[in-house]
Amino acid sequence: MRRFLMISFWIMTAIFALILTAQPVGHVSRINLSIIVIVVLGVISFFKLDGIWRHIFLALASVIVIQYAYWRTTSTLPPIDDLYSFAPGFILYLAEMFCVVMLGISLFVLADPITRAPAPRLSDEDYPTVDVFVPTYNEDREILALTLSAAKAMIYPKNKLNIYLLDDGGTDAKRNSQNPDVASAAVNRAAILKDLCAELGVTYRTRAENTHAKAGNLNSGLWGTNGEVVVVFDADHAPESHFLQETVGYFAEDERLFLVQTPHFFSNPDPIERNLGTFGRMPSENEMFYGKIQKGLDRWNASFFCGSAAVLRRAALEEVGGFSGITITEDCETALELHARGWNSLYVDKPMIAGLQPETFSSFIGQRSRWCQGMVQILLLKNPLFKRGLSLPQKLCYLSSSMFWFFPLVRSVFLVAPLLFILLNMKIFVASTEDFVAYTIMYLIVGEMVRSYLFGSVRWPWISELYEYVQSVYLLRAIISVIMQPRRPTFNVTAKGEAMAQDRMSDLALPFFVIFGVLAATLGVAAYRYNTSPEISGLLLIVGAWNLMNFIIAGCALGVVTERRQQASGVELPVRSNVELSFADFTVSGTMVQASPHGGHFVPAKPMPLSLRKGDYGRLSPTAPSADRIVNSMPIVLGAHNAADPSVVEITFDAEIFHYPVIAELMFHDMSAVRAIRAKRQTSRSFILATIGFIRWSLICPFAALGVALSGRPADLPVPSRKSTANVDVALATLSASATKGGVQ
């Protein structure tokens, strides 16, 4: 009934808006109506009103959007007999209408997001058997050791939990390859990972051939095991110890539940965050999807499998023949098939894994190209709109998720359109200045207010435009290739853990310099024509401002492709783990407040003995030893006081593989500090401050990029810190104020 009422409400809103829009009133009346709507939207947004007010907000905003779409359709297209202007003008119109349609679908999807209650806790006898799959292809042993150790340490009846490493880098085909280098590498990898699994007490599995990429690897594990529930973690996605307790219980409430999906949290910055120095301050890019969109999808039973950090029912997977592998986004495709068969999904907005993002811009583009091509494949090969078994809301949700990835086409049109008018004098948009103010300006203002209301805490202004622009330059070709040959794309593993010894330009930087130069030259032409063609000066001012906006984004993008030096240090998290440090004559109790597989930050409960010095060897032990761990302590080397906070002592782990269960205990027993970091970053930023900051980037980044390109020495960019003290600060905030300074020098 709730869904029926919501759908009816939105249909009535659209009809009312169309009737209102079609009324023959003048510019002043249109502007007054828009101002009234903007004031009401501002009040709702300022007081953070929700519930029914959310629907009122979105309904009023829809009136302005439909008003703009109606005017744009009926009054702004060039005459069809002027094909020189009509053809590009119509393409621009289609791009804008695509945005309007996508906005409309998004408002429907996000109209009533759902927050799930905690999973019910079951008795040990009632919990189902669980098979944990960790698929791997070429990841380092240390990354796998951390993930496997954390998975094995999850709190769950041990007789019902099995951990499997699914190795696709050591398959029979690779080990018996006619290429001796490939065969040798595969044999060595298989031997190393078998030893790793034996040391950690988990099961190693491989298969005959690398068919159907990740989906095939998962299916190989599926058909060789028999747990009632399957959990999938990517090779670099280590889980919190409470992961299964927070997810598996839902399956007891709904026998048709096939999926419980949780968010992905990343401990390292993506290339945009690192190169612009925003990591730790700005909400991560994926927060909009995991913090808002998935919750909206969940309302319509359309939250989908995201490839990792998910729990799935084996019976459902077996019903559709396992994980789907027709497209290269096996996760979303599998969910689509199961939703179409009447199975249900559920989303829990609680990060309980930590992983790694691609470090370089080229790896980032490679990852996004795979996502883009896979979602376009789903649209072409399994169009949700015509998929039998899906409800109408589910069709719209999947349509929104797949059609979103056409943004490179739209972004390219918006980039080229002002050039056509300024350089080639194409009249692609027929409108007076009064029309532009009454319709376009009001539409843009309301659009920004909608974005702020829905996503303000997880996406700063202008950041979406930057992310879309830097991807569009390369994803445009990826889209065209999959449209031409929908079955051709292949699954490519995303490279992670890459290090750079010095600042350098990305291998993909050249097109961004070319586009920046073209936009700069076009600004000069626009200024010249503004002074020499007074009859079109008003329109030139508007189109020139449009080109200026593109130029500003392009300037910021040069900072994105200026790769900043970094050391690959793996997963690094804020933690709160009580430990003891044991030395020859002393035992010091305290708390680890930051940890990675290589070391961490320690806060002693009492002043450390003055006789301890940097370089002293000792052992670290969690204060709660466990019989399930292979060992309960590991060797460490004492470091100096942390430069940012002398009460914090740095220590280095001198760990072997069999010590990784202790590291996993430190890092993943309780991820509440990680969730505090996430919550702290989810803060809104005013449009004015965001615009000032964005313009600053656009002024600094081109000089920084030029400096690196010519001499390797960047200009004054914000310096990103790989080991941000923000994580330590949040963890320290949870400690007692009585923590004192130590005596290590």
Side-chain angles (χ1 to χ4, degrees):
M1 177 61 70
R2 182 188 182 102
R3 294 181 181 180
F4 174 77
L5 292 174
M6 288 178 60
I7 293 173
S8 300
F9 173 80
W10 283 102
I11 292 175
M12 293 175 61
T13 297
I15 294 173
F16 171 76
L18 284 172
I19 294 174
L20 184 65
T21 298
Q23 299 305 308
V25 297
H27 294 116
V28 174
S29 298
R30 293 289 180 197
I31 292 174
N32 289 338
L33 171 64
S34 299
I35 290 175
I36 292 173
V37 169
I38 289 171
V39 170
V40 175
L41 298 185
V43 171
I44 295 174
S45 182
F46 179 80
F47 289 102
K48 296 180 172 59
L49 303 179
D50 208 349
I52 187 62
W53 290 104
R54 183 183 185 91
H55 296 282
I56 293 173
F57 183 100
L58 299 181
L60 289 175
S62 298
V63 171
I64 304 302
V65 172
I66 293 174
Q67 173 180 274
Y68 174 79
Y70 181 86
W71 168 75
R72 188 74 174 85
T73 302
T74 59
S75 306
T76 64
L77 290 174
I80 195 170
D81 55 354
D82 180 12
L83 286 178
Y84 180 74
S85 296
F86 178 79
F90 190 68
I91 292 173
L92 175 61
Y93 165 78
L94 291 178
E96 288 193 66
M97 291 305 103
F98 176 85
C99 292
V100 170
V101 170
M102 289 299 296
L103 176 61
I105 296 176
S106 297
L107 294 185
F108 172 78
V109 170
L110 296 165
D112 191 24
I114 187 171
T115 299
R116 295 287 181 174
R121 297 298 172 90
L122 309 179
S123 65
D124 286 0
E125 293 76 19
D126 292 332
Y127 274 117
T129 53
V130 174
D131 291 330
V132 176
F133 294 159
V134 180
T136 177
Y137 183 75
N138 60 359
E139 290 81 10
D140 290 340
R141 183 180 64 157
E142 288 74 17
I143 290 176
L144 295 172
L146 184 63
T147 300
L148 293 172
S149 297
K152 195 168 189 299
M154 289 189 294
I155 301 171
Y156 204 75
K158 295 306 176 184
N159 63 328
K160 294 186 174 183
L161 177 63
N162 295 292
I163 315 296
Y164 297 92
L165 180 66
L166 308 181
D167 179 24
D168 237 16
T171 58
D172 296 347
K174 283 183 171 292
R175 288 185 285 109
N176 297 313
S177 173
Q178 295 182 354
N179 184 323
D181 293 335
V182 172
S184 176
V187 169
N188 290 337
R189 176 177 176 80
I192 290 171
L193 295 189
K194 285 179 182 178
D195 289 344
L196 168 68
C197 291
E199 284 199 271
L200 298 179
V202 303
T203 303
Y204 173 87
R205 289 185 59 90
T206 189
R207 56 182 175 140
E209 297 179 337
N210 301 79
T211 54
H212 297 295
K214 182 180 178 181
N217 194 13
L218 291 173
N219 283 331
S220 175
L222 187 69
W223 306 134
T225 57
N226 56 15
E228 299 168 80
V229 168
V230 170
V231 178
V232 180
F233 295 125
D234 279 349
D236 60 305
H237 283 188
E240 183 180 22
S241 62
H242 303 283
F243 182 89
L244 294 178
Q245 291 181 315
E246 298 288 341
T247 54
V248 172
Y250 291 111
F251 288 90
E253 294 184 321
D254 181 4
E255 63 181 13
R256 294 296 295 173
L257 181 67
F258 82 89
L259 169 71
V260 176
Q261 179 66 57
T262 69
H264 296 182
F265 177 87
F266 300 105
S267 66
N268 67 318
D270 67 27
I272 289 86
E273 293 172 313
R274 187 189 73 251
N275 296 335
L276 293 180
T278 64
F279 185 61
R281 299 185 295 111
M282 184 179 73
S284 293
E285 186 227 6
N286 69 337
E287 286 301 316
M288 189 167 87
F289 176 72
Y290 287 111
K292 299 294 183 180
I293 295 175
Q294 276 280 43
K295 295 170 72 173
L297 296 172
D298 197 21
R299 167 61 68 188
W300 306 108
N301 189 26
S303 176
F304 59 84
F305 178 35
C306 298
S308 180
V311 188
L312 302 102
R313 191 188 297 269
R314 177 182 292 272
L317 291 170
E318 290 178 344
E319 183 178 307
V320 295
F323 294 90
S324 301
I326 293 177
T327 72
I328 58 175
T329 46
E330 81 295 329
D331 42 16
C332 184
E333 182 188 347
T334 300
L336 175 66
E337 292 296 333
L338 286 165
H339 276 133
R341 288 179 178 247
W343 289 90
N344 303 322
S345 64
L346 182 149
Y347 177 70
V348 179
D349 186 25
K350 184 176 183 179
M352 291 179 285
I353 63 99
L356 296 173
Q357 300 192 90
E359 284 85 358
T360 66
F361 183 70
S362 58
S363 296
F364 174 81
I365 291 297
Q367 179 193 64
R368 299 312 170 93
S369 293
R370 173 165 58 83
W371 294 357
C372 173
Q373 289 186 314
M375 296 304 287
V376 174
Q377 278 184 301
I378 287 176
L379 188 66
L380 297 177
L381 301 176
K382 298 190 173 186
N383 194 308
L385 201 58
F386 306 107
K387 187 72 173 177
R388 297 181 61 181
L390 295 178
S391 66
L392 177 59
Q394 286 176 322
K395 290 176 185 284
L396 293 175
C397 288
Y398 273 104
L399 200 64
S400 174
S401 298
S402 54
M403 288 180 63
F404 162 79
W405 287 97
F406 282 105
F407 72 79
L409 296 174
V410 176
R411 181 63 56 186
S412 299
V413 171
F414 291 164
L415 182 69
V416 172
L419 307 184
L420 299 180
F421 177 78
I422 295 171
L423 301 179
L424 303 178
N425 203 33
M426 292 183 176
K427 307 297 190 298
I428 58 177
F429 195 110
V430 178
S432 66
T433 304
E434 293 81 3
D435 287 334
F436 186 81
V437 172
Y439 293 96
T440 305
I441 293 296
M442 298 303 167
Y443 165 68
L444 293 175
I445 292 174
V446 168
E448 183 57 40
M449 295 182 76
V450 169
R451 282 190 287 272
S452 177
Y453 182 74
L454 294 178
F455 305 119
S457 63
V458 294
R459 181 63 56 86
W460 287 357
W462 300 107
I463 298 301
S464 287
E465 284 78 4
L466 179 59
Y467 270 95
E468 289 186 7
Y469 170 73
V470 298
Q471 293 177 77
S472 296
V473 173
Y474 284 95
L475 264 57
L476 180 63
R477 183 173 58 184
I479 291 176
I480 294 173
S481 68
V482 75
I483 290 175
M484 299 297 293
Q485 295 179 296
R487 298 182 184 273
R488 184 178 180 181
T490 57
F491 189 102
N492 294 314
V493 177
T494 302
K496 296 178 183 177
E498 299 174 273
M500 284 175 288
Q502 61 184 9
D503 298 333
R504 65 176 180 85
M505 296 308 303
S506 169
D507 298 335
L508 305 181
L510 181 58
F512 295 94
F513 280 97
V514 173
I515 295 172
F516 181 78
V518 170
L519 294 176
T522 303
L523 280 177
V525 174
Y528 172 79
R529 292 192 63 194
Y530 179 81
N531 290 316
T532 59
S533 304
E535 68 280 1
I536 58 170
S537 59
L539 194 53
L540 270 171
L541 196 63
I542 293 170
V543 180
W546 183 359
N547 187 73
L548 176 62
M549 183 184 71
N550 289 336
F551 177 73
I552 290 172
I553 296 172
C556 295
L558 292 181
V560 172
V561 296
T562 306
E563 304 271 27
R564 307 305 300 273
R565 62 186 177 274
Q566 67 166 4
Q567 294 180 348
S569 58
V571 178
E572 185 177 55
L573 298 176
V575 298
R576 194 194 185 289
S577 296
N578 295 326
V579 299
E580 289 183 346
L581 305 187
S582 301
F583 300 93
D585 300 315
F586 304 101
T587 297
V588 182
S589 298
T591 304
M592 294 292 297
V593 295
Q594 183 164 317
S596 77
H598 309 291
H601 296 161
F602 171 74
V603 177
K606 296 179 180 180
M608 295 185 73
L610 295 176
S611 59
L612 290 177
R613 292 291 185 267
K614 178 180 177 181
D616 285 351
Y617 279 84
R619 295 192 71 86
L620 179 148
S621 305
T623 55
S626 171
D628 295 327
R629 287 199 296 270
I630 303 169
V631 295
N632 279 302
S633 67
M634 65 177 171
I636 62 163
V637 179
L638 204 59
H641 287 297
N642 182 268
D645 187 342
S647 69
V648 178
V649 180
E650 297 181 358
I651 60 175
T652 301
F653 302 153
D654 188 17
E656 301 291 340
I657 287 298
F658 61 84
H659 292 121
Y660 267 73
V662 178
I663 297 175
E665 168 73 14
L666 294 178
M667 298 180 65
F668 296 103
H669 176 69
D670 182 1
M671 289 180 59
S672 58
V674 168
R675 289 186 282 273
I677 287 286
R678 183 193 191 221
K680 184 178 180 180
R681 289 198 309 216
Q682 290 185 353
T683 56
S684 302
R685 197 177 196 192
S686 75
F687 183 80
I688 294 176
L689 288 178
T691 301
I692 292 173
F694 206 71
I695 292 174
R696 177 176 174 269
W697 282 341
S698 72
L699 296 174
I700 293 174
C701 289
F703 293 102
L706 189 62
V708 171
L710 296 180
S711 65
R713 293 190 297 271
D716 183 24
L717 266 175
V719 179
S721 173
R722 176 64 186 90
K723 295 185 177 180
S724 172
T725 59
N727 290 358
V728 182
D729 293 340
V730 171
L732 283 172
T734 66
L735 295 177
S736 168
S738 63
T740 57
K741 297 182 180 180
V744 179
Q745 301 299 320

